[in-house]
Every structure is written in structure tokens, then in C-alpha cells.
Amino acid sequence: MTDSTPQNDLWPAPTATGAVNATVTVPGSKSVTNRALVLAAHSTEPGWVRRPLRSRDTSLMADALRAMGVQIDETVNPDGGEAWRIIPAGLHGPATVDVGNAGTVMRFLPPVAALADGPVRFVGDTRAYERPLGGVIDALRTLGARIEDEGRGSLPMTVHGAGSLAGGGVEVDASKSSQFISALLLSAPRFNKGLELRHTGRTLPSLPHIRMTVNMLRTAGAKVDTPQDGGVRDVWRVAPSALLGRDLTVEPDLSNAAPFLAAALLTGGRVTIPGWPRRTTQAGDALRTLFTEMGGSYELTDRGLTFTGTGTVHGITADLHDVGELAPVVAAVAALADGESTLSGIAHLRMHETDRLAALAKELGGLGGDVTETDDGLLIRPQRLHGGLFRTYEDHRLATAAAVIGLVVEGVEVENVATTAKTLPDFPELWTRMLAGPADGPGGSDGPTEAAHDPAGPAYGSGSPADGSRAGRG
């Protein structure tokens, strides 16, 4: 865990004055947007990505693909929603890709670069050089790619694309990140021999994200055979094939709904997230179960998800192995619960944007909390919290977790809240509008206030996956 953000950039987290009553339209899913961009770049014909997330991570992905020759035209739909037209072209170098600190960019694009004609240099933020990439690098070398990384197994590096890649069989230990598997699967239809990928690690985190990758590949026309249980030594097979240009609409980012649903839970309020899909491969769908176990209730209708809190929050024992991205906000809620919580299965969070386990233990502890790191998670014993500085370590999910604490603890100052732009643009505005309450004030309109980033339309990413995933866990 590093602390490289200036501490003078502080945001006073607003405190709720009563029960939150709001409708919050969250922007599109980063995971879906970046996968859709990669698949469209590999397609044999133009395609559309509608209502994409526009954030730092997705902008980095789009700029990187443009640098390798892909044309991405940004337009606006008649209803006001944004749409990106992707026109694939021959991938080429020389090019330089800035990955920032985006795991999807640093891991999804080296296989794309291996298919380009010419060298592609990968650089990024300081933290990006510390994040694991060896699984992708070693696998690409086995499949026929030439990569210069000076033996680091991490950035910076150069992929010397030869215009094609042999493909075939490869073993990967993806216990540090499921993105190792998704990265190879997304480009596998373009490999001469396709791909037979065997996972060799002891664990495999974030399975919903792999299921998302598989579903999106199939929608684009790829033939993918998947394991049944998503366990150790499972095998994925992708046949070489042409991908079709599709017209895809991106679902709301359900993981980014976490702080807003937490607001309803903590204040005994009511928050609606429009466009919440009835079936989805997004990890954030698990919030329905997690926050219900912690004391709330929900209703899922054609309009979306409405979550209602009672103002009483219970501790929880939860294995978050599949949905680790939810851990920071869940930990923040747990620190305000009426009993002890144990969050497990999330050792891999030590290698995310920052060491999230160490950061949560330190920052919640700095506000008076009792949080202990375990081998694979956190033990949280609620204490009376007080105001103070909450460092974010340039991690967007720590910033939203701090905002959640600030709802009921006065005087919380969040360092560099702007880091939320990584996946949730305009978060401070969304947050304050949510807290403003009904536009007519108390005793006025019965309807909730609308805190909107971009109206949500019919969403891509839902459906009944054929690889054994189930609604509520991915």
C-alpha cells in the first residue's frame, strides 16, 4: 500500500440529516464497456456500444485501441444517450499504450498487441508497475508472442506484434486475478489455433467477471466451451473464428451502486437504482443478498431495484471471493453495524489499485474502528467512530467507502475524492444530490429525488448464461 496522493485535496463527506429518499441513475458498467471495446476491435465489421461508461479506465481503453489503429467515433443518440461506433482495422504498431492503473487495460490489451503488426509499448501509473501481470506475459509467450519486460513480469514492457499469434494450449495461474483468464479469452478467437486454457492455481477469484467475458464472446459469435464449476484446473476452450459486429447497450454498473444502496441501509431510507437487470453476470448483483442480510430489504421490478433500510444494521459473515470489488463498501457498512463482521475470501484485494485490506484496516482504524486483517480478509468489531482524515491511496472504492462512513459520522474528510472518476464520474455531485431529498422538501412531493448521471436504457450483459452462472452471484 502506498500513499502518493496529496493530502491537501480533501472533500468533507456530507452527513445525512435524515432518511435518504432518492432515485440514483448510475452510469454504465466499466467491465462491460471495456470488454465490448476489445471484442468490437476484433470484429470483422463495425459495431456499436451504446450508453458506455465514460471514465478514466474506459477512456484509457479507447485511446489505446485508437493508438493501434481502431476507429472509435463518439456520437449521441436521439434520446440523448451516448453511443460509440467502433470500426475495426488492421491492428498495428508502433504504438504506446498508457494503462493508467486500470487492470482491464493492462491485462486485456497485451493479447491484442500480440496480434498487431509492430511493437506496442505499455506504460502506466506507478502502482500499475507493482500489479501482477506475469500470468498474461508467460501465457502469451507460450502461445508464440515476443515480449520484452526485462524479467519483471510486470510493466513497463513492449509487445512485439507479428500480425498473428499461433495460440493453442496454455496453463495459467489466475489466483491473483481472474483478468488473466478474461484477457486471453477475449482475443482467443483471433489466434490461429484458438485457445485451450487450463487454470492451475489453488483458487480463482471473481468468477462472475469470467462468466461475463464468456457471455459477451458468445454474443459476438465465438464458440466457447467452459468448465462446469469454475474450480481449480478448469479448462476453457475457444475455437478460432470471426467475430461479428454487434449493437450492444451497456448495463448500469451495479458495483458502483453499492454506496447508494448503503445510504438507504444506514439511514433507514429508500433508494432506487433504475435499469437494474433481472438477470446479469455483474458481481454487483450480490448487493441484494448482502445488504438484505445486513438488515434491509429490496424490490426488483421492471423499473429497477428499490432498496429499503430500517436504520438498524447487522454484522455479517460473508465470503466475498467472487465479489471482492464490493468489499470496501461492505466493510464500511460493517464498521457501523450492531455486531461483529467477518469478510473472507479476499486476499487477492492486496494486489488491486492499492492493498485494499491494509488500507481499510488503517483508515477505518484511524476513525476509531477496530479492524484486523486476517489471512484472507477482515475482522470488523464495530466501535464508536469519529471524524478525521480518510486516505484513499488513489483507489476509487476506498473513496466511496469513506463517503459511506461520512453519512453517519460527522467530520470525515476524504482525500482525493476525484479518484472516483476512474469508474464513477461525477460521484460527489451524485452523492450530494442523493442527500438533498425530494425536490419539494419535507411534506412536499411524495416522489424521490432523481440523481442522474445518464438515463439508462435497455442493457447488455443480462441473460441466462450457459456456463452455470446464476442470478445474484455474478
Side-chain angles (χ1 to χ4, degrees):
M1 181 180 65
T2 59
D3 181 10
S4 58
T5 305
Q7 295 186 14
N8 59 358
D9 183 12
L10 302 180
W11 178 65
T15 302
T17 58
V20 171
N21 179 29
T23 294
V24 182
T25 301
V26 297
S29 164
K30 175 206 71 176
S31 298
V32 172
T33 299
N34 276 355
R35 282 166 173 79
L37 286 171
V38 172
L39 290 172
H42 281 321
S43 297
T44 58
E45 56 190 7
W48 288 93
V49 178
R50 301 187 188 277
R51 301 197 184 282
L53 172 67
R54 180 183 287 277
S55 70
R56 187 184 187 217
D57 278 17
T58 59
S59 294
L60 287 167
M61 179 67 83
D63 289 344
L65 291 171
R66 288 186 179 110
M68 287 187 275
V70 179
Q71 182 178 338
I72 302 175
D73 298 330
E74 301 174 8
T75 63
V76 177
N77 289 328
D79 64 359
E82 191 169 3
W84 293 350
R85 178 73 161 168
I86 296 92
I87 302 175
L91 298 168
H92 64 76
T96 297
V97 168
D98 179 2
V99 308
N101 191 18
T104 52
V105 182
M106 72 178 68
R107 291 163 182 154
F108 291 1
L109 288 187
V112 177
L115 295 165
D117 186 5
V120 179
R121 179 72 173 168
F122 286 81
V123 298
D125 296 353
T126 300
R127 173 61 177 172
Y129 295 175
E130 302 170 356
R131 299 181 68 180
L133 191 58
V136 175
I137 293 172
D138 292 345
L140 286 174
R141 284 175 174 150
T142 298
L143 297 171
R146 184 163 73 90
I147 301 174
E148 291 181 6
D149 69 337
E150 298 180 0
R152 288 183 298 267
S154 63
L155 299 181
M157 68 179 187
T158 299
V159 179
H160 293 274
S164 65
L165 194 64
V170 69
E171 293 186 346
V172 176
D173 179 353
S175 56
K176 293 182 179 178
S177 176
S178 68
Q179 290 176 352
F180 292 178
I181 289 175
S182 286
L184 296 163
L185 294 179
L186 286 168
S187 291
R190 290 282 315 278
F191 300 166
N192 295 340
K193 300 177 183 177
L195 180 69
E196 181 175 292
L197 188 158
R198 183 181 300 274
H199 170 57
T200 61
R202 291 184 298 173
T203 62
L204 182 55
S206 305
L207 271 171
H209 289 96
I210 297 176
R211 292 171 181 147
M212 177 186 292
T213 297
V214 169
N215 285 358
M216 294 184 70
L217 275 162
R218 287 172 173 163
T219 298
K223 181 180 179 182
V224 186
D225 293 329
T226 64
Q228 294 301 310
D229 59 359
V232 177
R233 297 194 180 280
D234 281 336
V235 178
W236 289 259
R237 295 180 179 88
V238 183
S241 64
L243 297 182
L244 306 176
R246 294 295 190 185
D247 190 332
L248 306 178
T249 301
V250 178
E251 289 178 350
D253 193 313
L254 306 188
S255 294
N256 277 338
F260 304 103
L261 299 183
L265 179 60
L266 288 170
T267 68
R270 185 171 182 265
V271 169
T272 297
I273 308 295
W276 195 288
R278 290 186 178 274
R279 306 199 70 178
T280 180
T281 53
Q282 288 195 61
D285 195 45
L287 289 166
R288 293 191 289 155
T289 300
L290 291 167
F291 282 170
T292 296
E293 291 180 12
M294 298 186 83
S297 62
Y298 73 87
E299 181 182 14
L300 183 59
T301 67
D302 290 340
R303 185 187 176 205
L305 180 78
T306 297
F307 194 86
T308 304
T310 62
T312 299
V313 182
H314 306 307
I316 190 172
T317 297
D319 183 344
L320 303 181
H321 187 257
D322 282 354
V323 295
E325 65 205 60
L326 307 180
V329 167
V330 172
V333 173
L336 300 164
D338 61 5
E340 183 176 292
S341 292
T342 301
L343 309 181
S344 62
I346 47 176
H348 58 285
L349 297 191
R350 293 187 170 99
M351 300 304 298
H352 278 224
E353 281 80 348
T354 188
D355 180 340
R356 285 179 173 165
L357 300 187
L360 286 165
K362 180 177 180 180
E363 299 310 314
L364 291 172
L367 302 182
D370 182 355
V371 182
T372 303
E373 282 191 69
T374 65
D375 288 343
D376 71 339
L378 297 170
L379 175 62
I380 302 170
R381 301 181 180 91
Q383 304 290 327
R384 180 176 294 275
L385 301 184
H386 56 73
L389 173 65
F390 194 108
R391 297 176 179 84
T392 61
Y393 309 94
E394 301 183 22
D395 188 324
H396 57 129
R397 300 208 188 275
L398 286 177
T400 55
V404 167
I405 295 292
L407 283 171
V408 295
V409 178
E410 293 185 356
V412 175
E413 293 188 303
V414 184
E415 174 201 66
N416 189 24
V417 73
T419 194
T420 53
K422 177 180 171 68
T423 61
L424 188 51
D426 305 325
F427 170 74
E429 180 183 356
L430 282 170
W431 196 247
T432 54
R433 289 180 63 185
M434 174 193 71
L435 293 174
D440 292 342
S445 170
D446 291 333
T449 186
E450 176 78 15
H453 177 280
D454 186 22
Y460 172 75
S462 59
S464 179
D467 60 351
S469 65
R470 56 195 185 277
R473 294 300 294 172

